[in-house]
């Protein structure tokens, strides 16, 4: 199979089509939003704890700040397990909706009650993946390539395993066997979609300019209103920081600079980054759940959704059929 990554323009077109059909699935049952909202709120909580702790330390409340930062560390570690739990629930809700059933959080919770062990293992592997992603920037080119490939492979495998667990409740060994069967059903039209790196690229392209704008705006506001802002965030006169200031600039050595605007704007960009990351993950879960359902449980889908999925899974408005297993291999045995 020859995989070719689409260009940037094609990636944005694919993303638009992906988002449109994702919202269509969500529109069929609003309960699908529950795990997405929960993950987003949790992601915001981690960011808030970090910035609140930092602010408390800057304001001279070292004890409170230390407790908040410790709480952030605990929340950061637990997020790997919490996110997998919510992603499994999201996958189950999408599956029930696609099959024409009333998808409820209560039913999803009941269906997934016996998957706690698998959720913990997924969380531990995600923690290891985060550590590898952190370390890959410290090695040589070859090491970075290998570690980067490992991270991408796990991202792909993880999002395939989520519906395997949520729908069929298979073990890790059975899930691995199911994944080996799935490779025969992957059409060429999905080239470049694995790992859905479109999402990461779009998020980076959005956040890059936002961070730069936030930094510039924070500096301008810190200079303009430095004299009337809380002294805990004051950096003092510019003359103390930089010495002489060129006369061509609209401020002088006595101008007070305050870190608070820059701090708050960076805080808001971190909030946006956290929410966008959760939305990207949710779209991945929805996509791979429908992909798996279309292949492994096509007869369980409602007829209208089955027709819609052909174009959706190919990320284009076309008539190529993803679910035509007769063209790609024998039908998958049910477990």
């Amino acid at each position: 199979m020859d995989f070719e990554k689409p260009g940037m323009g094609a990636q944005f077109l694919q993303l638009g089509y992906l988002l449109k059909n994702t919202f269509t699935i969500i529109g069929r049952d609003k309960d699908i939003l529950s795990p997405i909202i929960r993950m987003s709120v949790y992601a915001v909580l981690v960011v808030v704890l970090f910035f609140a702790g930092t602010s408390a330390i800057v304001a001279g409340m070292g004890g409170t700040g230390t407790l908040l930062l410790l709480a952030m560390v605990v929340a950061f570690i637990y997020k790997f397990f919490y996110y997998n739990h919510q992603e499994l629930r999201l996958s189950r809700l999408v599956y029930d909706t696609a099959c024409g059933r009333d998808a409820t959080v209560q039913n999803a919770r009941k269906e997934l009650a016996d998957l706690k062990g698998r959720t913990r293992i997924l969380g531990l592997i995600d923690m290891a993946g985060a550590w590898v992603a952190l370390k890959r920037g410290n090695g040589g080119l070859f090491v970075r390539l290998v570690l980067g490939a490992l991270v991408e492979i796990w991202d792909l495998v993880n999002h395939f395993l989520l519906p395997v667990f949520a729908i069929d409740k298979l073990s890790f060994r059975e899930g691995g066997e199911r994944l080996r069967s799935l490779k025969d059903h992957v059409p060429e039209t999905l080239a470049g979609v694995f790992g859905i790196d479109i999402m990461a690229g779009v998020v980076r392209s959005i956040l890059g300019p936002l961070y730069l704008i936030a930094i510039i705006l924070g500096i301008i506001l810190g200079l303009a209103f430095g004299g009337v802002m809380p002294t805990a965030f004051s950096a003092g006169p510019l003359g103390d920081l930089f010495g002489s200031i060129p006369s061509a600039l609209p401020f002088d050595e006595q101008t007070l600079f305050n870190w608070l605007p820059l701090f708050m704007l960076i805080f808001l960009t971190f909030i946006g980054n956290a929410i966008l990351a959760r939305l990207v993950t949710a779209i991945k879960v929805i996509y791979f759940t429908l992909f798996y359902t279309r292949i492994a449980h096509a007869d369980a889908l409602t007829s209208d959704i089955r027709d819609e999925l052909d174009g959706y899974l190919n990320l284009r408005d076309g008539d190529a059929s993803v679910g035509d297993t007769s063209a790609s291999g024998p039908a998958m045995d049910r477990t």
Side-chain angles (χ1 to χ4, degrees):
M1 187 179 298
D2 184 20
F3 289 102
E4 181 180 353
K5 184 176 180 179
M8 182 60 69
Q11 290 186 34
F12 274 97
L13 290 175
Q14 290 176 346
L15 178 63
Y17 192 69
L18 184 62
L19 290 172
K20 181 185 75 173
N21 285 275
T22 298
F23 289 129
T24 298
I25 294 296
I26 293 174
R28 290 175 175 267
D29 199 311
K30 297 301 188 295
D31 278 23
I32 293 176
L33 286 172
S34 175
I36 301 175
I37 293 173
R38 288 171 182 266
M39 286 191 292
S40 299
V41 169
Y42 193 94
V44 169
L45 173 64
V46 174
V47 175
V48 169
L49 287 173
F50 173 75
F51 279 87
T54 304
S55 298
I57 292 174
V58 170
M61 297 181 291
T64 300
T66 301
L67 289 176
L68 287 170
L69 291 178
L70 287 175
M72 184 277 297
V73 171
V74 173
F76 181 83
I77 294 173
Y78 182 68
K79 77 174 185 178
F80 295 102
F81 306 98
Y82 184 78
Y83 288 162
N84 275 289
H85 173 72
Q86 295 300 328
E87 288 165 20
L88 283 167
R89 184 177 295 179
L90 173 60
S91 182
R92 184 71 200 193
L93 288 168
V94 170
Y95 172 71
D96 288 340
T97 300
C99 294
R101 295 192 284 267
D102 180 24
T104 66
V105 174
Q106 292 76 13
N107 288 340
R109 186 185 298 117
K110 181 179 179 181
E111 289 289 340
L112 303 175
D114 56 347
L115 297 182
K116 293 180 180 179
R118 270 154 282 190
T119 303
R120 295 190 193 99
I121 294 175
L122 286 173
L124 289 171
I125 298 176
D126 277 352
M127 288 179 64
W131 181 83
V132 170
L134 184 64
K135 290 294 183 181
R136 68 178 176 178
N138 299 330
L141 176 61
F142 178 75
V143 173
R144 291 199 299 270
L145 289 174
V146 172
L147 295 182
L150 289 176
V151 172
E152 293 300 324
I153 290 171
W154 169 242
D155 182 69
L156 173 62
V157 171
N158 177 60
H159 285 95
F160 266 127
L161 284 176
L162 286 169
V164 170
F165 293 155
I167 297 171
D168 292 323
K169 304 179 184 180
L170 303 182
S171 66
F172 271 90
R173 180 183 61 80
E174 293 168 331
E177 294 173 356
R178 179 58 57 89
L179 290 183
R180 284 194 291 273
S181 299
L182 277 173
K183 72 178 186 298
D184 297 327
H185 297 259
V186 177
E188 288 79 357
T189 47
L190 284 175
V193 178
F194 288 117
I196 312 208
D197 54 358
I198 299 170
M199 307 302 172
V202 170
V203 170
R204 282 194 297 269
S205 66
I206 292 174
L207 288 180
L210 285 181
Y211 277 121
L212 180 59
I213 293 172
I215 290 173
I216 295 173
L217 183 59
I219 293 173
I220 293 173
L221 292 176
L223 289 170
F225 302 101
V228 297
M229 291 186 174
T231 56
F233 287 89
S234 177
L238 291 180
D240 294 346
L241 297 174
F242 303 105
S244 61
I245 303 296
S247 57
L249 296 177
F251 41 81
D252 55 31
E253 288 84 353
Q254 301 306 314
T255 301
L256 297 175
F257 178 72
N258 196 290
W259 291 104
L260 184 59
L262 182 60
F263 184 83
M264 290 302 300
L265 287 170
I266 291 178
F267 167 70
L268 292 176
T269 58
F270 269 72
I271 291 291
N273 181 34
I275 294 175
L276 280 172
R278 291 303 96 208
L279 293 178
V280 167
T281 297
I283 292 173
K284 287 182 180 181
V285 174
I286 293 172
Y287 176 85
F288 281 106
T289 297
L290 293 173
F291 177 81
Y292 178 76
T293 304
R294 185 66 177 93
I295 293 174
H297 298 277
D299 56 351
L301 292 166
T302 60
S303 58
D304 58 332
I305 290 182
R306 188 184 302 116
D307 294 337
E308 290 176 4
L309 287 186
D310 287 339
Y312 172 67
L313 294 175
N314 284 282
L315 297 185
R316 63 179 177 79
D317 292 299
D319 55 3
S321 176
V322 175
D324 184 7
T325 56
S326 63
S328 56
M332 182 180 299
D333 294 333
R334 300 274 163 70
T335 298

